[in-house]
Amino acid sequence: MKITEISIENYKGFAGQHNYTFDGNLVFLVGENNTGKSTLMEAVDFLVSGLDKRTLEDVRNKNATGDAILSVTVTLTGNLRDLVTNFSEDKYLPYVYEVNGVETVKLQRSSEKRKIKQNGKDVTLDIGKMTAWNNETNQYENPAGFDKAFKSFFDPQFIWSDVNPDDVTDFGSTKICGRLFKEIFSTFQQQPEWSTFEQQHQTVFGSLKDQAETLANDVADIFKSQYGDASISFDFPMPDPSNFLKSAGIVVDDGVPTSLADKGSGMQRGLALAFIQLYAKRNAEHPSDPELIKPLCFFIDEPEVSLHPKAQYKLLDALVAISRTQQVFITTHSPLVLKKFNSDDHNLLIFTKNNPGGIEVTPAAQLNLFGASSPTWGEIMYRAFDFPTIELHNELYAQLQGQDSQPRLEARFTARGHTQSQNATHSGNGSAIQETLMTYIRNRFHHPENTSRNDPSDTELRQSTDDMIDMIQNP
């Protein structure tokens, strides 16, 4: 299962309608601060959780009119019928339909208030209900129990840059930590210690039941006088092992044993990411375990935070491994993280702000300076962060030069009006030469032994880069 489309309408910074498609299992969301990367992930969280103590005006785009619709729609594809059958109820199968032979589910949460006929009854839909598209009735519906059942095929896990300790220490059955412990409890109940605990529980609570008999009789006397003859007793059943996880916690001993909740956000994020990596490892080791193969979708906000360069590389290797079985979305500013982008297997969206304050998103497929090799790391850095690099400059120069010699490329530069205004010394015979800015910068780094050339200024590097981009785009 994976997300193949996210549609956002008037959610926070996304004014109007925005549609984004995906075909990869690892998705990079890249751009400067406050350009909408995290908001895209928040929109998915909104689909799942609703307003969650917020008001409609808290999340609706500030430029939207009073009656403008806010909505988030997520399209899922995969072997969804099997997932519904294995992990949920067959009554939800009508919400799985095929598009070009691909099993599809479309989920939506919308502020639009509308009445529909559902199973012969009048039903009102609003922002408080998550809905699913019924391809037979041609409408979004909210079948009974669906808000909980949908997690059988869509269970997003979020790790935010300002991580909440509860996100890490949550032992619920749908969370990573809870899933890992479920494997432990499945064998724990077969051990003799559990049998001993059952016997002790029966002894202790049997005694408590005897002591509570007077209280039960007194309640029964009042009940009988008002509602009729009946007896009352208290029952203290043996708890399910998973109930003990509700009060469980994580203690980190880094010299001083302390609850994880009292540690810094960097350590909390680190542990959350460690759980994800362990989950992926167990998934690979036990591919038939239903608790591990149940689909998840990870949304990780700036995974590079608090990590040194080598650790960033190791973490990204782990996320690439996870993406082979589970879809992963990450936001990032890190050049090192972006070095791991592979245009053949991954998706990348570049976020920028346009006037007046709207969000523009460019898919990697639209970056085509180098044809099939696009986008390169240098191309991404320039488009996402307005940061020209020597790597991009070298790539542009090589793309323009092709099979030509450098003198012939220089002639093409001058033919377009670029002057040979840079003074240099020939690295071979020591003679004085004049070069265009593009060739001067290229030779400065390809021939470091020639000390007659100085490093370019930021302005010169940007100008040379822009001039070569113009030549590629407007030959």
Side-chain angles (χ1 to χ4, degrees), residues 13 67 78 108 111 117 133 181 269 300 311 330 353 429-430 463:
D67 58 350
Q108 183 183 85
S111 66
K117 282 285 187 182
W133 179 256
F181 263 89
R269 279 175 54 87
I300 306 175
I330 62 172
K353 272 287 182 73
N429 56 31
Q463 181 61 55

Side-chain angles (χ1 to χ4, degrees), residues 155-377:
D155 191 6
Q157 308 282 316
F158 297 90
I159 298 181
W160 303 105
S161 57
D162 54 346
V163 64
N164 183 333
D166 293 341
D167 296 336
V168 185
T169 60
D170 193 327
F171 286 78
S173 61
T174 64
K175 301 300 182 180
I176 296 296
C177 198
R179 288 174 186 243
L180 293 170
F181 263 89
K182 208 162 189 178
E183 178 184 354
I184 295 174
F185 274 122
S186 65
T187 58
F188 181 65
Q189 287 177 277
Q190 303 171 16
Q191 297 176 5
E193 290 83 358
W194 183 255
S195 177
T196 301
F197 177 75
E198 286 181 312
Q199 295 171 12
Q200 291 295 326
H201 180 276
Q202 184 177 359
T203 300
V204 171
F205 284 92
S207 175
L208 178 61
K209 184 175 181 180
D210 292 341
Q211 296 177 45
E213 186 175 354
T214 300
L215 177 61
N217 291 336
D218 290 344
V219 171
D221 289 342
I222 298 173
F223 183 82
K224 289 178 193 178
S225 67
Q226 298 173 4
Y227 296 98
D229 191 29
S231 62
I232 302 294
S233 63
F234 293 104
D235 185 29
F236 301 97
M238 180 70 180
D240 184 274
S242 62
N243 289 339
F244 293 103
L245 292 178
K246 295 178 181 179
S247 59
I250 298 176
V251 175
V252 178
D253 188 351
D254 55 351
V256 180
T258 310
S259 168
L260 179 64
D262 295 325
K263 294 294 186 182
S265 60
M267 183 170 288
Q268 292 168 4
R269 279 175 54 87
L271 191 59
L273 293 170
F275 272 121
I276 288 178
Q277 293 173 70
L278 177 60
Y279 176 86
K281 181 174 180 291
R282 293 289 179 86
N283 192 311
E285 293 172 347
H286 309 286
S288 61
D289 187 333
E291 286 305 319
L292 294 176
I293 64 173
K294 188 175 181 180
L296 294 178
C297 188
F298 296 104
F299 292 84
I300 306 175
D301 196 16
E302 299 181 29
E304 68 271 14
V305 170
S306 301
L307 295 179
H308 58 76
K310 187 175 181 180
Q312 290 185 37
Y313 252 47
K314 286 186 175 181
L315 175 60
L316 259 293
D317 284 339
L319 295 181
V320 169
I322 291 171
S323 71
R324 297 188 185 108
T325 55
Q326 312 281 357
Q327 195 172 29
V328 181
F329 287 74
I330 62 172
T331 71
T332 185
H333 298 115
S334 169
L336 289 173
V337 170
L338 291 172
K339 288 278 190 180
K340 293 289 185 178
F341 173 70
N342 181 341
S343 58
D344 292 332
D345 300 320
H346 307 153
N347 292 149
L348 182 143
L349 298 182
I350 292 179
F351 290 69
T352 53
K353 272 287 182 73
N354 57 25
N355 293 324
I359 294 173
E360 180 180 348
V361 179
T362 304
Q366 294 181 17
L367 304 181
N368 55 4
L369 288 174
F370 308 107
S373 299
S374 282
T376 65
W377 176 81

